[in-house]
Amino acid sequence: MDDMQAYMDVMTDIFADLPSQGPGSSQTTQHVLSLCPPLAPSAIVLDVGSGTGRQAFALAESLPNQTVFAFDLLYAFVHRLKQQAKGYNIVPIRADMNHFPFALGSIDLIWAEASAYSIGFENALRAWHKFLKSDGCLAVSELVWLKSDVSDELQQFWAEEYPDMRHVDTLPSLFADCGYVVVDETNLSEGDWWEYYKPLEAKLPAMREKYQANEMAQGIIDNIATEIDMFRQYMDCYGYRFFVLRKA
């Protein structure tokens, strides 16, 4: 087994049975959806990087007349979602976030909660633009700096974890350059973060025990614990901003 596969196996073991794989809540998903233009019953809706589907279920509940196509690359996530989505207007698909099995210019709404960063935020904006209809929208959340003057400890942590993290004030020009107009935006609340972090933090002791002889896994667990501690100390310095963008 190569190092990347071993890493992904540990990450899957940690995250696959959690309620969500990133900050957010069903309430916030549905609120942001309310900021988007109305959708026709025939609208194509993609949830990109859906994980095990927390936001896909929230979208499906609010869009009973549409089908939500939920994309993720990890088999374990898609498999779990398929089991849970039976009877719902959700179609789980295992697919690369760079390449959608849809025609260019055919998608009404692309939804991406805490997922665009995984293929590069700017790359995601540009890659997905061509799939949207002329009046299509992208709803995307992104981790951003809210303050410019932050501690060296925090700066160093995120420089290693997400070196492409931008200050929120720089994003409007990026969106314009990538061919979008900002329709609306909102911050994820502290509660949205803890909805993700609390079950994750509660699972860490069992993972430490399970992988006590695995140095790589212990490093992953240590890093997750540090990330949660960074948020406890510095939550006013950074956060997720959720944007509704319309194709220009």
Side-chain angles (χ1 to χ4, degrees):
M1 182 184 297
D2 61 33
D3 290 345
M4 179 54 70
Q5 186 59 54
Y7 172 84
M8 292 307 301
D9 286 349
V10 173
M11 292 291 285
T12 299
D13 195 17
I14 293 172
F15 287 97
D17 64 350
L18 294 177
S20 64
Q21 287 71 48
S25 67
S26 296
Q27 292 80 7
T28 295
T29 296
Q30 292 173 334
H31 169 64
V32 174
L33 181 61
S34 74
L35 304 177
C36 299
L39 294 168
S42 60
I44 296 176
V45 179
L46 267 60
D47 174 22
V48 184
S50 61
T52 56
R54 193 272 307 154
Q55 63 272 14
F57 284 104
L59 291 170
E61 180 181 343
S62 294
L63 299 170
N65 298 315
Q66 290 83 13
T67 298
V68 177
F69 296 90
F71 281 63
D72 207 280
L73 187 59
L74 291 181
Y75 171 81
F77 292 172
V78 177
H79 178 72
R80 184 182 178 200
L81 180 53
K82 283 182 177 180
Q83 298 304 309
Q84 296 181 329
K86 292 176 181 177
Y88 288 85
N89 51 321
I90 298 172
V91 177
I93 299 173
R94 189 181 181 199
D96 187 326
M97 290 168 62
N98 277 300
H99 306 288
F100 301 149
F102 289 89
L104 300 182
S106 68
I107 299 172
D108 296 88
L109 176 62
I110 297 175
W111 198 272
E113 288 197 38
S115 62
Y117 80 94
S118 65
I119 61 169
F121 188 62
E122 181 174 350
N123 174 63
L125 294 174
R126 297 187 185 281
W128 299 343
H129 185 274
K130 60 181 175 288
F131 286 96
L132 289 169
K133 289 182 177 179
S134 59
D135 58 349
C137 283
L138 166 62
V140 58
S141 65
E142 172 67 346
L143 187 65
V144 295
W145 291 113
L146 302 175
K147 293 185 176 181
S148 299
D149 185 16
V150 301
S151 73
D152 291 343
E153 176 186 39
L154 183 63
Q155 183 73 50
Q156 181 177 347
F157 176 79
W158 283 112
E160 294 174 1
E161 292 302 305
Y162 188 25
D164 292 335
M165 188 169 162
R166 298 169 170 85
H167 193 281
V168 66
D169 291 345
T170 69
L171 291 183
S173 61
L174 174 64
F175 295 147
D177 187 57
C178 292
Y180 297 93
V181 174
V182 178
V183 175
D184 216 327
E185 59 188 273
T186 188
N187 287 329
L188 266 64
S189 69
E190 180 184 349
D192 288 336
W193 282 83
W194 287 118
E195 186 160 324
Y196 164 58
Y197 276 153
K198 282 183 177 178
L200 175 57
E201 188 173 39
K203 190 174 181 181
L204 295 185
M207 291 293 98
R208 288 193 188 279
E209 177 68 20
K210 180 176 182 177
Y211 291 105
Q212 57 184 313
N214 185 323
E215 183 177 353
M216 180 200 65
Q218 291 294 328
I220 292 171
I221 295 163
D222 287 344
N223 201 59
I224 292 170
T226 300
E227 179 184 326
I228 296 171
D229 187 53
M230 289 293 106
F231 184 72
R232 279 197 177 95
Q233 294 184 65
Y234 302 113
M235 67 179 73
D236 61 327
C237 295
Y238 65 99
Y240 266 98
R241 182 70 63 92
F242 217 138
F243 298 91
V244 175
L245 309 175
R246 180 175 52 79
K247 188 174 184 178

